[in-house]
Amino acid sequence: MSSKYIALPKGVSEKSFDAAIKEYRAILGEANVIVAEELLVSYNKIMIPDEDEHHTPSAAICPSSVEEVQRCLAVCNKYKVPVWPVSTGRNFGYGTTAPANRGQVVMDLRRMNRILEVDAELCTCLLEPGVTYQQLYDYLQEHKIPLWLSCPAPSSIVGPVGNALDRGVGYTPYGEHFLFSCGMEVVMPNGDILRTGMGSLPGSNTAQVFKWGYGPYLDGIFTQSNYGVVTKMGFWLLPAPPAFKPFVIRYQDEADIVQAVETLRPLRIANIVPNAVVIVHALWELGSMLKRAEHFDGTGTIPDSVVRRLVKENNVGMWNVYCGLYGSPEQVEVNWKIVQGAVKASGKGELLTQEQVGDDPVFKYRADLMQGKMNMREMGLYNWRGGGGSCWFAPVSQARGSETLKQMAMAKTILDKYGFDYVAEFIVGWRDMHHIVDLLFDRTDPQQMKAAKACFGELLEEFSKAGYGTYRVNTAFMDKVADYYGPVKRDVNRKIKLALDPNGIIAPGKSGIWATGGKVI
Ligand SMILES: Cc1cc2nc3c(=O)[nH]c(=O)nc-3n(C[C@H](O)[C@H](O)[C@H](O)COP(=O)(O)OP(=O)(O)OC[C@H]3O[C@@H](n4cnc5c(N)ncnc54)[C@H](O)[C@@H]3O)c2cc1C
């Protein structure tokens, strides 16, 4: 390679990039502007079925303050250098830290990691982007503040700001994370600082308690987008309930999922069960504790007969539904009776409590997530197939039993065609379900890489044709998904982009939004 950089931003000459790097260094110091190949390795480590080189960053810059972010964006505008902002940068299975396109500079916000405020009475907090869930959890413990946070499964090592900005989910009653955010500070592409909602009003102390402010509600346009760099975000925290009762309902037949959804939906909508109900397929449970090669050495998808045997041997259900009850002991007792009655009336499912499952580690990990405790067990999924390949296929549907069987059949047919296993769960929000399929493959095997890419493309295509859009997608398929959502949506997104960021310096291509040009898949 003749260049001293491992990649260059599209359309930027090496000379211009030299000048930009020099200016970033003047702002951030040598150590916080990274261009050496060996130091950029972690910024280019992806799990998705796409070539690393499509996502190779040209550099990483690590500001430590809002003012440094502003000054870096001014340099970006001057030299037309695009930056890809990340908060904790662990968007595993969606692109991790690496930018959507080769040559973008990663703006790594991990140094901005202050917990600015926790209000124990109003149950709110204000965080910088680099704060991890572990940090917030430790803070609450150390200060004996009886509040629970809500985290996604990789819990300790990821963070509330990045997760909520990508509209990620957790498992407590506050599990729809963006819904429970309140107020943002955003550095706009021209360097202006926007405080959303009540935050715009000088002297207001209501930014973390009233979401809407005055006029159009803007916070949503900074999620899954590239219209600004979010430098602070407020969240609501859950008062620790006096009583918490996690439970699991195990179903032994795949078709029983219809009954599971029909039984749980009314309880969920009525908030008897107030948290996101997770309906976990056997292969997800088994995948987080076993290695596939030790149980099946044939080719293609693991056969149903092997799955059924492993289900018996490992004492899990074909579907495993995890929920929690929260409130005073009296409330929990009343709601528990309602749950028992509903499950009994459905005629299906084995209802088990903490006491009945004992120290089952799988139950413990689900119970931990349902109370916002750190637990990394789900990372075990990467031992199932090995080789580090993963991408999440995440179509949304109505919370109806009939939708589950239809979606499962569609997903299994396509996965089977390419020899991948159905490692999946359904997460019942309030009235919707996210069907989450972890497409696991060996990234070191070129054939599996190719097959996984084709398989993922076909899943998107067939589900979109059937009217099932994905709620979130990895960086290799953002344009494709933007197309499925139609030309008008794409056009509006682009017009906003052009108005706010005419030079296209922030995360070009994020969610298929470009100021100019674009990528063809
Ligand atoms: C085993 C496993 C289980 C998982 N389970 C879950 C789960 O239960 N729920 C879930 O939601 N996810 C899950 N994930 C996916 C992912 O790891 C998490 O969503 C994680 O929280 C995202 O990474 P992050 O928090 O570091 O966000 P980041 O990577 O920092 O941010 C995500 C994206 O948001 C944008 N962004 C971030 N910060 C900013 C900013 N300051 N300004 C502007 N844009 C920004 C960028 O586009 C960035 O790529 C799982 C992953 C694995 C491997």
Side-chain angles (χ1 to χ4, degrees):
M1 191 189 302
S2 57
S3 172
K4 56 180 149 319
Y5 303 108
I6 58 169
L8 278 172
K10 201 170 164 216
V12 177
S13 69
E14 184 161 341
K15 200 166 156 229
S16 288
F17 198 54
D18 282 343
I21 292 290
K22 199 169 160 207
E23 292 194 32
Y24 293 137
R25 286 196 167 130
I27 299 165
L28 304 174
E30 286 282 316
N32 296 307
V33 179
I34 302 164
V35 294
E37 183 168 7
E38 62 279 13
L39 298 178
L40 286 173
V41 169
S42 70
Y43 291 98
N44 194 199
K45 199 165 165 30
I46 52 175
M47 305 175 89
I48 59 176
D50 201 12
E51 306 307 322
D52 291 9
E53 67 193 57
H54 296 168
H55 304 275
T56 303
S58 48
I61 55 177
C62 312
S64 66
S65 69
V66 178
E67 196 224 336
E68 287 184 359
V69 172
Q70 286 175 295
R71 291 175 66 197
C72 286
L73 291 187
V75 176
C76 295
N77 273 310
K78 182 169 165 190
Y79 297 100
K80 311 275 190 296
V81 171
V83 281
W84 180 264
V86 296
S87 288
T88 46
R90 300 208 168 92
N91 213 1
F92 304 121
Y94 291 110
T96 320
T97 314
N101 292 285
R102 184 177 177 80
Q104 296 178 2
V105 172
V106 176
M107 181 180 266
D108 178 349
L109 299 168
R110 270 176 274 202
R111 292 175 71 216
M112 295 178 66
N113 62 355
R114 287 176 305 160
I115 296 171
L116 297 164
E117 191 182 28
V118 174
D119 188 315
E121 287 166 3
L122 292 167
C123 309
T124 62
C125 65
L126 182 65
L127 308 176
E128 286 191 330
V131 172
T132 61
Y133 287 104
Q134 182 75 56
Q135 219 183 315
L136 183 57
Y137 182 81
D138 291 347
Y139 182 96
L140 297 172
Q141 297 292 308
E142 275 161 26
H143 292 82
K144 300 197 175 8
I145 300 174
L147 295 175
W148 287 3
L149 50 81
S150 178
C151 59
S155 56
S156 51
I157 58 173
V158 300
V161 175
N163 184 274
L165 289 179
D166 227 23
R167 298 207 290 265
V169 298
Y171 305 92
T172 72
Y174 287 13
E176 184 65 80
H177 292 155
F178 174 55
L179 189 65
F180 289 92
S181 71
C182 193
M184 291 177 180
E185 178 188 85
V186 190
V187 180
M188 301 302 292
N190 67 356
D192 283 352
I193 294 179
L194 170 71
R195 296 196 177 87
T196 62
M198 302 307 284
S200 288
L201 190 78
S204 163
N205 64 4
T206 49
Q208 266 66 73
V209 294
F210 183 65
K211 287 163 81 86
W212 318 120
Y214 176 72
Y217 172 70
L218 294 178
D219 298 48
I221 69 164
F222 298 106
T223 64
Q224 289 193 5
S225 82
N226 49 16
Y227 300 147
V229 177
V230 176
T231 45
K232 291 184 184 65
M233 202 161 167
F235 293 93
W236 292 348
L237 299 168
L238 179 75
F244 165 63
K245 187 180 183 78
F247 59 93
V248 57
I249 316 170
R250 289 189 186 142
Y251 295 86
Q252 291 309 337
D253 188 334
E254 257 186 355
D256 288 348
I257 189 169
V258 174
Q259 212 58 55
V261 174
E262 292 304 312
T263 307
L264 269 306
R265 183 194 50 243
L267 302 179
R268 180 68 193 95
I269 291 179
N271 255 356
I272 306 286
V273 173
N275 67 324
V277 171
V278 193
I279 306 175
V280 187
H281 188 263
L283 265 183
W284 188 297
E285 300 281 54
L286 298 165
S288 65
M289 58 176 125
L290 304 176
K291 288 191 176 136
R292 186 183 200 263
E294 289 173 4
H295 304 277
F296 175 61
D297 60 4
T299 53
T301 310
I302 190 164
D304 283 348
S305 55
V306 178
V307 178
R308 276 196 294 273
R309 176 170 56 76
L310 292 175
V311 160
K312 282 216 178 79
E313 286 172 9
N314 291 279
N315 196 28
V316 297
M318 194 54 95
W319 288 107
N320 306 270
V321 181
Y322 294 94
C323 321
L325 299 178
Y326 304 70
S328 67
E330 296 80 8
Q331 283 170 317
V332 166
E333 204 181 311
V334 169
N335 287 338
W336 178 238
K337 288 211 171 81
I338 297 172
V339 171
Q340 283 176 309
V343 174
K344 194 168 172 208
S346 77
K348 295 257 165 87
E350 184 191 11
L351 186 56
L352 297 166
T353 61
Q354 176 108 62
E355 295 69 37
Q356 288 165 298
V357 297
D359 56 5
D360 174 3
V362 178
F363 184 90
K364 182 185 182 309
Y365 122 72
R366 290 287 171 181
D368 279 349
L369 291 184
M370 286 192 279
Q371 52 190 314
K373 279 191 181 168
M374 306 298 101
N375 191 320
M376 297 282 291
R377 190 184 164 89
E378 201 159 295
M379 299 306 264
L381 280 176
Y382 299 116
N383 297 327
W384 173 247
R385 189 115 197 186
S390 161
C391 62
W392 305 99
F393 175 59
V396 176
S397 73
Q398 296 181 341
R400 291 186 201 279
S402 54
E403 297 278 32
T404 51
L405 282 189
K406 188 174 161 201
Q407 284 209 356
M408 182 172 66
M410 284 172 68
K412 279 188 155 194
T413 305
I414 298 166
L415 290 161
D416 263 4
K417 188 170 148 189
Y418 295 94
F420 296 117
D421 302 334
Y422 179 69
V423 178
E425 62 182 19
F426 285 87
I427 304 179
V428 184
W430 252 320
R431 289 156 176 84
D432 68 289
M433 288 186 304
H434 292 11
H435 183 188
I436 309 286
V437 180
D438 196 354
L439 176 47
L440 292 167
F441 60 98
D442 183 350
R443 268 194 115 246
T444 63
D445 174 344
Q447 279 194 333
Q448 281 196 39
M449 273 279 272
K450 212 168 142 209
K453 190 166 188 175
C455 179
F456 197 82
E458 191 168 334
L459 285 166
L460 284 177
E461 177 87 23
E462 291 308 315
F463 274 69
S464 301
K465 269 201 248 158
Y468 296 125
T470 48
Y471 95 99
R472 189 174 172 191
V473 80
N474 67 68
T475 45
F477 287 89
M478 287 180 165
D479 279 277
K480 195 164 181 169
V481 170
D483 277 343
Y484 291 133
Y485 276 85
V488 177
K489 175 91 171 28
R490 255 201 121 155
D491 187 46
V492 171
N493 286 346
R494 182 194 284 262
K495 282 179 179 150
I496 298 174
K497 179 73 177 166
L498 273 172
L500 297 176
D501 184 11
N503 291 328
I505 55 156
I506 299 186
K510 174 78 184 179
S511 299
I513 308 169
W514 303 82
T516 52
K519 177 170 147 186
V520 179
I521 299 251

